[in-house]
């Protein structure tokens, strides 16, 4: 019984990290249709921002998280204003351009902060595990889980319960008609992109004390994020949440039964099969693209 | 004497043949002059300064250049200065091969110091074997290689494990979980570990390889919790080392009961994960920065003075440093006319040097190096406390795990049945 519980919790923990790293991408890819290959590097930027603020300015971890959201969000806003906005409706060019942005960010960090692994401190009160239902779980992973749920809730409210959300959904459904109703598309796009980038930065900051911080850390996460978003169904927040849950539990289960190398290969295989038979993903919404 | 055109051509040809066959030293002499051009001796320095492994390889480049400066300051090799030719192979095996060819052919270096990964060493081997030059390789590696054109100064599995495994069994118990990154090095090390465990009556309760760069260890840690091994034997490398240690501690595992015993965790990785996550775990290596010897104090002090106060030395940069001194000692036994790679290799056999880790010697049978294995316990301050060190230097046995296979001075591996 505790074994099963342990396994479910392990899966949930993997799932929450997956959801955390793919949420920003779900917004940018889902809402705007921009295939953002720099997503992993926004994440990396978030990890470096927290490292810089901790080690140079001596800020605490939690205040850093809030600042990181705005810093990386600002970088995202800048990238959208100067580059992405000229490429709407040209998906192939966007892929190339965002990939280029990713390389620039990576090499910029390499030049500025050096190529070595960087140390982000885990807050002392989160290092020890906590007991839940007779099993030990990492307090830090519980924090990640909680923050992820909060972020999903905020994102949901933002899209479905605010004026900004109504305008965003209008632009998603039909950009031309939305403009006829006086909605400033350009502004909606910039803010959405900035929000997605900010989420990516926050994700990077949150995983950095548990994993490692290096200039090329984003590469692995961007693959995970696309895996989750594509199999969940583009434009579906619920789909992203559900597919992060399924992929997390499956990869935890496979890794437990066999090993991580095989788990990863098997997961990719299953996603390829899924996309072959259900290209729109598991939980696709029917929306027209503007 | 009647000279016609035909006999003139004949005799000229004859002279030419005599010249080429009868007086070969003419040609060799010119080659010698090239190896000690202008009285200086050119050596290649082939470590990546950019790319994936740039961090660690830059420290090897630094250690090498520092040793060259020391040798030159002390009068060089029989009065001739060592001139380093530095190339950046960009962490890419193909570029390694290309730069190696340049160092050997166009710069005419008499030896090249280089490589961190086995992949890059394998990539340059054909170059050194084809042109019969000499490559000096400082990294600990999986063994099972025996090239005529390489001097290996890093540890092979028997040197890191022969005392480590019995020590772990004695102090913690017989149940081992083997965890490594998914490539050749961890698999070969684990082969050796399994043989030693069998001899000691130990048991492998799990063996697992994670993808390179893997950072999600929750499933692995759950298996640790399920199987409850006495020792986790880790050959995980790179970023994954950091993630594994952090998640181990965050999951509430205790190094006092289930320590990780590593062959790959050095001061560099500990700096990146934070000392509190490494404390209580063990590493076996011939060198630790904290080792107390006059040579090591001098080495660390000189290194930090030259390259920056916060810099750490580690078990790869130390061999990168002492192998240059071994090269210089071997080369100084040779006259100017004998200075070429094959002669240096012969002169290097049996050569010794008082290195930071202790007195080291190049083995005449297999061109690997006698080293001083030590067991270190990681401390909160990021350094290792040395718990035990071998009573004598340990002979390198690159084919230890493979019965009937040995390395011989001709460089070939022989099957003795």
């Amino acid at each position: 019984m505790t074994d099963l519980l342990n396994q479910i919790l392990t899966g949930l923990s993997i799932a929450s990290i997956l959801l955390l790293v793919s949420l920003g991408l779900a917004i940018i890819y889902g809402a705007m249709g921009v295939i953002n290959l720099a997503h992993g590097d926004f994440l990396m930027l978030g990890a470096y921002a927290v490292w810089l603020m901790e080690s140079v300015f001596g800020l605490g971890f939690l205040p850093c998280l809030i600042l990181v959201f705005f810093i990386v969000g600002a970088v995202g806003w800048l990238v959208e204003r100067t580059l992405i906005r000229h490429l709407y409706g040209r998906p192939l060019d966007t892929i190339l351009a965002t990939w280029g942005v990713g390389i620039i960010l990576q090499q910029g960090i390499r030049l500025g902060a050096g190529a070595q692994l960087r140390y982000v401190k885990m807050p002392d009160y989160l290092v020890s595990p906590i007991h839940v239902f007779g099993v030990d779980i990492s307090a830090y992973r519980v924090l990640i889980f909680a923050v992820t749920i909060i972020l999903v809730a905020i994102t949901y409210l933002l899209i479905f319960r605010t004026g900004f959300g109504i305008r965003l959904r209008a632009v998603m459904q039909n950009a031309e008609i939305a403009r006829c109703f006086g909605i400033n598309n350009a502004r909606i796009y910039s803010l959405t992109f900035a929000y997605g980038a900010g989420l990516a930065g926050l994700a990077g900051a949150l995983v950095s004390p548990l994993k490692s911080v290096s200039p090329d850390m984003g590469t692995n996460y961007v693959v995970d994020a696309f895996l989750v978003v594509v199999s969940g169904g583009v434009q579906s927040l619920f789909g992203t949440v559900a597919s992060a849950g399924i992929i997390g539990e499956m990869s935890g289960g496979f890794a437990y039964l066999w090993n991580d190398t095989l788990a990863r290969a098997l997961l990719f295989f299953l996603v390829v099969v899924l996309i072959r038979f259900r290209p729109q993903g598991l939980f696709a919404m029917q929306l027209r693209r503007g | 004497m009647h000279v016609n055109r035909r006999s003139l051509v004949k005799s000229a040809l004859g002279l030419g043949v005599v010249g080429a066959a009868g007086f070969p030293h003419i040609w060799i002499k010119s080659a010698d002059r090239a190896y000690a051009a202008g009285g200086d001796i050119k050596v290649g320095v082939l470590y990546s300064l950019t790319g994936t492994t740039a961090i660690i390889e830059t420290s090897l480049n630094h250690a090498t250049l520092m040793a060259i400066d020391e040798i030159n300051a002390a009068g060089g090799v029989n009065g001739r200065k060592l001139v380093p030719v530095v190339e950046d192979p960009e962490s890419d095996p193909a570029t390694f091969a290309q730069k190696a060819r340049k160092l050997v052919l166009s710069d005419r270096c008499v030896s090249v110091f280089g490589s961190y990964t086995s992949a890059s060493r394998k990539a340059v081997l054909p170059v050194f074997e084809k042109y019969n030059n000499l490559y000096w390789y400082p990294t600990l590696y999986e063994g099972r290689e025996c090239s005529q054109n390489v001097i290996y100064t890093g540890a092979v599995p028997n040197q890191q494990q022969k005392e480590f495994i019995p020590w772990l069994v004695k102090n913690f118990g017989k149940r081992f979980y083997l965890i490594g990154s998914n490539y050749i090095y961890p698999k070969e090390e684990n082969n050796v570990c399994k043989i030693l465990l069998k001899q000691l009556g130990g048991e492998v309760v799990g063996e697992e390889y994670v993808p390179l760069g893997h950072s999600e260890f929750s499933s692995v840690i759950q298996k640790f919790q399920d199987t409850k091994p006495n020792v986790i034997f880790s050959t995980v490398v790179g970023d994954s080392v950091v993630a594994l240690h952090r998640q181990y501690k965050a999951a509430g595992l205790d190094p006092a009961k289930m320590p990780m015993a590593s062959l790959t965790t050095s001061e560099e990785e500990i700096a990146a994960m934070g000392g509190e996550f490494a404390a209580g775990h063990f590493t076996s290596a011939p060198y630790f920065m904290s080792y107390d010897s006059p040579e090591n104090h001098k080495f660390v002090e000189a290194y930090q003075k030259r390259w920056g106060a916060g810099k750490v030395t580690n078990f790869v940069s130390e061999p990168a440093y002492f192998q240059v001194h071994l090269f210089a000692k071997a080369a100084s036994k040779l006259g100017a006319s004998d200075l070429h790679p094959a002669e240096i290799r012969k002169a290097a056999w049996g050569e010794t040097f008082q290195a930071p880790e202790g007195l080291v010697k190049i083995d005449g049978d297999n061109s690997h190096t006698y080293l001083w294995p030590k067991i270190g316990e990681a401390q909160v301050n990021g350094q290792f406390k040395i718990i035990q060190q071998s009573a004598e230097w340990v002979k390198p046995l690159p084919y230890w795990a493979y019965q009937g296979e040995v390395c011989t001075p001709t460089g070939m591996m022989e099957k003795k049945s």
Side-chain angles (χ1 to χ4, degrees), chain B residues 362-406:
Chain B
I362 296 175
D363 186 67
D365 294 336
N366 57 33
S367 301
H368 287 62
T369 308
Y370 281 76
L371 301 168
W372 295 85
K374 299 169 180 65
I375 297 169
E377 179 181 356
Q379 307 289 304
V380 178
N381 69 6
Q383 290 292 330
F384 285 92
K385 187 171 110 193
I386 293 160
I387 306 277
Q388 180 180 313
Q389 75 160 312
S390 57
E392 54 190 11
W393 59 19
V394 175
K395 183 179 164 74
L397 299 166
Y399 288 87
W400 189 86
Y402 296 88
Q403 254 190 339
E405 300 184 14
V406 287

Side-chain angles (χ1 to χ4, degrees), chain B residues 181-208:
Chain B
S181 294
N182 196 11
Y183 73 110
I184 181 81
Y185 169 75
K187 291 187 178 179
E188 291 287 339
E189 290 286 1
N190 284 345
N191 281 343
V192 172
C193 180
K194 281 186 273 188
I195 293 172
L196 284 166
L197 273 180
K198 207 172 162 192
Q199 291 171 356
L200 295 161
E203 184 193 350
V204 175
V205 297
E207 179 177 1
E208 184 161 354

Side-chain angles (χ1 to χ4, degrees), chain A residues 6-7 10 14 17 115-117 119-120 127 129 138 141 208-212 214 220 252 255-256 258-261, chain B residues 55 182 208-211 213-216 218-220 222-223 226 239 242-243 246-247 249-250 252 271-274 276:
Chain A
N6 225 331
Q7 186 54 48
T10 302
I14 298 175
I17 292 179
Q116 65 264 54
L117 298 174
Y119 166 55
V120 173
V127 170
S138 155
R141 285 183 183 272
S208 60
L210 200 59
K211 302 195 169 179
S212 61
S214 64
N220 279 323
Y256 186 70
W258 300 292
N259 61 57
D260 280 296
T261 310
Chain B
I55 317 151
N182 196 11
E208 184 161 354
Y209 300 94
V210 296
H214 191 66
S215 66
E216 179 58 71
S218 27
S219 299
V220 169
Q222 205 192 331
K223 288 182 199 172
D226 286 355
D239 308 12
V242 176
R246 283 176 166 179
Q247 291 169 31
K249 178 153 182 170
M273 72 179 81
E276 71 269 28

